[in-house]
Amino acid sequence: MSGLNIGIIGCGSIARQRHAHEYKLNPNATIVGFYDFDRSRAESMTLDFGGKVFDTAEELISDSSIDAVSVCAANKYHAELTIDALNAGKHVLCEKPMAISLIECEAMVNAAKKSGKHLLIDQNQRLNNTHIKAKQILESGELGRVITFQSTFSHKGPESWSADKSANTWFFKKDAASFGSLADLGIHKIDLIRYLVGGKVKEVFSAMNTLHKTFPDGTPIEVDDNSVEILTFDDGTMGTVTTSWTNYGEENNSTIIYCEKGTMKIYLNPKYSLEIEYLDGKKTHYEIDRMQQNDDAQQTSSGAIDTFVSAILEDKKTPLDADDVIDSMRVVFACLDSSEKRVPISLT
Ligand SMILES: NC(=O)c1ccc[n+]([C@@H]2O[C@H](COP(=O)([O-])OP(=O)(O)OC[C@H]3O[C@@H](n4cnc5c(N)ncnc54)[C@H](O)[C@@H]3O)[C@@H](O)[C@H]2O)c1
């Protein structure tokens, strides 16, 4: 296979700013076309990135010229679109959160296995160079064992990013989004912590609430806008993940890992994306990259599209493979369960 033909379903912010943009920059990918419920959004994409407008998702998925599909639709549709595309013999890069139930996530992984096609989930934080460097340092053992961690993702909310920039966005509606900040932002940090710390999360204790966001008529949104999670790994390592859609200041997307022989600070210092403080007080600073922000006009590549394209062309495994990301979703669903029942939940 020399180059890939791509179809994109869902033509909102992530499709425009990351998927289409990064496919256009990839010499091995050509965009064949777009589909969106809102035809004008698909049309606008063709003007900027080429390709044609499809009339339905089925038409795009069954187009024999298309090798691979990006699923950039609302959360509710991830599983159905992904499974249909896999069954039609396409490789799929699906946006996070993977799907809205564990049964759906499992069906996606099974469909990928059955079809023999690649299924990647866009947990792009695993691809940040700073996170990759942090993982290498942790795995080298120079900081000893991880004892505890704090990871947080907070910003002013999806209504400032979504194609529909209003408090009526689908992100606030249970039917389309299913989850709020915990799964929208927390999945990134839960997945990152699993990636960095390694091992298995054995227990979660979580609380989430709708503290401040409202629909235009003043009624509270239907999903959580803030959450706090305590994760315990099977070796006893324990720490927190916090999420917020009500941080009206500067975005916080940082992680601190406290180890036996030092502390690692990730994306806390705007100049040095990785800082290490050793027990003797010495510090090492790494100026590696900046965390990508949704409202950053100068975004660098997320790396997800290049990873997807090379996974298919070279038929190789990647850090975004659905069969690993599904374990992060197990943690998310356990957190939702814990928050609802107000008890710790163990993952067996
Ligand atoms: N990886 C990341 O960091 C990241 C960042 C932002 C959003 N996302 C995810 O990407 C997905 C899309 O988010 P967004 O920010 O682009 O939202 P958005 O509101 O900007 O755009 C969504 C678009 O999809 C269309 N759509 C929804 N369901 C559809 C369907 N079944 N078929 C065709 N079109 C459909 C809508 O009409 C809209 O144009 C969400 O699941 C979100 O969680 C991921």
Side-chain angles (χ1 to χ4, degrees):
M1 194 180 265
S2 57
L4 296 176
N5 287 330
I6 308 292
I8 298 181
I9 302 177
C11 299
S13 298
I14 197 73
R16 171 172 287 282
Q17 298 206 27
R18 302 261 173 81
H19 292 246
H21 177 70
E22 294 179 24
Y23 281 124
K24 199 173 175 188
L25 294 174
N26 188 305
N28 294 316
T30 306
I31 299 176
V32 172
F34 299 90
Y35 170 67
D36 194 291
F37 283 155
D38 179 338
R39 192 178 178 86
S40 68
R41 289 194 187 142
E43 279 166 357
S44 153
M45 295 288 262
T46 63
L47 297 179
D48 294 330
F49 302 103
K52 66 174 199 174
V53 175
F54 285 89
D55 291 328
T56 61
E58 298 70 42
E59 192 196 335
L60 183 152
I61 284 169
S62 61
D63 187 305
S64 60
S65 73
I66 290 180
D67 305 299
V69 174
S70 268
V71 173
C72 303
N75 304 345
K76 172 186 178 176
Y77 305 102
H78 287 184
E80 182 188 334
L81 292 168
T82 295
I83 292 167
D84 286 353
L86 288 165
N87 288 345
K90 316 300 182 194
H91 303 278
V92 178
L93 172 60
C94 176
E95 265 309 330
K96 49 58 56 177
M98 185 171 175
I100 62 169
S101 73
L102 193 53
I103 289 172
E104 284 190 351
C105 293
E106 284 167 346
M108 291 162 81
V109 169
N110 288 337
K113 274 191 198 136
K114 205 167 137 202
S115 71
K117 301 294 170 186
H118 289 268
L119 171 59
L120 276 62
I121 310 298
D122 189 9
Q123 295 300 156
N124 49 296
Q125 295 215 353
R126 291 188 182 209
L127 304 176
N128 292 17
N129 287 327
T130 297
H131 290 149
I132 291 169
K133 179 71 180 171
K135 185 170 171 63
Q136 282 166 359
I137 293 171
L138 290 170
E139 283 178 352
S140 77
E142 72 170 78
L143 293 178
R145 190 174 81 77
V146 175
I147 302 167
T148 182
F149 54 83
Q150 297 167 359
S151 191
T152 193
F153 196 167
S154 64
H155 61 42
K156 52 180 160 308
E159 74 277 33
S160 64
W161 146 271
S162 162
D164 172 11
K165 291 198 175 32
S166 84
N168 267 323
T169 174
W170 65 268
F171 277 98
F172 290 170
K173 296 174 185 163
K174 186 107 186 145
D175 177 49
S178 193
F179 325 106
S181 75
L182 188 158
D184 181 50
L185 304 181
I187 181 60
H188 275 305
K189 306 323 283 194
I190 288 167
D191 187 67
L192 175 69
I193 286 295
R194 282 190 54 244
Y195 173 70
L196 291 179
V197 174
K200 193 174 175 308
V201 176
K202 71 168 183 193
E203 187 187 84
V204 302
F205 197 9
S206 170
M208 60 180 188
N209 215 328
T210 310
L211 300 178
H212 192 250
K213 293 282 182 203
T214 60
F215 289 116
D217 68 2
T219 56
I221 63 169
E222 294 167 1
V223 293
D224 66 278
D225 60 16
N226 280 273
S227 78
V228 180
E229 286 73 51
I230 301 170
L231 310 185
T232 306
F233 282 74
D234 49 8
D235 68 352
T237 299
M238 185 184 98
T240 58
V241 167
T242 58
T243 69
S244 178
W245 278 346
T246 62
N247 164 10
Y248 300 116
E250 222 170 275
E251 178 171 313
N252 184 350
N253 204 331
S254 65
T255 299
I256 309 179
I257 314 256
Y258 301 92
C259 305
E260 290 170 314
K261 299 181 190 168
T263 298
M264 184 179 259
K265 296 183 175 173
I266 306 170
Y267 294 119
L268 262 183
N269 181 329
K271 183 163 169 60
Y272 299 107
S273 53
L274 181 62
E275 298 172 288
I276 304 193
E277 297 167 5
Y278 295 92
L279 295 188
D280 61 5
K282 285 202 186 104
K283 290 186 182 176
T284 309
H285 302 276
Y286 296 91
E287 199 175 338
I288 301 174
D289 57 9
R290 289 173 50 220
M291 175 57 85
Q292 299 185 350
Q293 297 193 355
N294 289 346
D295 51 7
D296 186 349
Q298 316 270 297
Q299 289 200 57
T300 51
S301 164
S302 71
I305 297 320
D306 293 347
T307 299
F308 181 49
V309 169
S310 62
I312 300 167
L313 292 179
E314 296 163 36
D315 194 21
K316 62 181 187 190
K317 284 190 76 61
T318 81
L320 307 187
D321 289 349
D323 55 4
D324 187 53
V325 171
I326 192 172
D327 286 338
S328 301
M329 290 303 293
R330 289 184 209 284
V331 178
V332 165
F333 292 118
C335 288
L336 292 164
D337 198 19
S338 168
S339 176
E340 198 182 313
K341 295 178 178 151
R342 296 181 171 266
V343 293
I345 298 287
S346 58
L347 289 101
T348 45

